[in-house]
Amino acid sequence: MQPGETLLREGAANLQRGIEAVGGRLYLTDRRLSFHSHAFNVQTGVTDIPLSQVRGTHPCWTKFLGMIPLFPTSLAVSTADGGQYHFVVHDRDAWAAVIGAKLPGAGG
């Protein structure tokens, strides 16, 4: 975490990157949403999404190979630049609520 940053929620997650569902941990702070992949994935690294860039979240389907819907267990995060990030998380509704409460103009 960065100096002065407050951790609000964390948990195991997968981030859909193309056809790979990259395993790791998702962190929500008062400043950003940050995904840290496990080292044993093909695609590794950190994905940071500043909360100032998040425009919303909505539930979506977890997809096999990025195409075939399997389960309605993912959370899509949309950004100001038109980006979409799909996270498989436990209790996606709770994640959506806490992210939504921290968005600009939400008062939280």
Side-chain angles (χ1 to χ4, degrees):
M1 286 199 328
Q2 300 169 352
E5 195 171 23
T6 302
L7 181 64
L8 304 173
R9 186 175 179 94
E10 73 172 286
N14 289 337
L15 171 59
Q16 191 72 46
R17 288 183 180 158
I19 64 169
E20 184 182 6
V22 179
R25 292 203 61 84
L26 184 61
Y27 302 89
L28 174 64
T29 74
D30 58 341
R31 298 180 190 167
R32 62 194 165 118
L33 195 58
S34 186
F35 176 79
H36 298 242
S37 68
H38 297 305
F40 54 82
N41 291 293
V42 173
Q43 300 180 61
T44 59
V46 174
T47 300
D48 278 334
I49 308 166
L51 291 182
S52 62
Q53 295 300 305
V54 174
R55 292 298 173 255
T57 64
H58 66 273
C60 62
W61 284 78
T62 298
K63 296 180 179 177
F64 177 66
L65 299 176
M67 298 180 294
I68 303 166
L70 293 178
F71 305 105
T73 55
S74 290
L75 179 67
V77 176
S78 57
T79 58
D81 63 1
Q84 281 265 337
Y85 299 86
H86 293 178
F87 296 99
V88 181
V89 292
H90 175 72
D91 200 355
R92 69 179 175 181
D93 293 336
W95 274 97
V98 73
I99 292 167
K102 289 298 169 188
L103 297 183

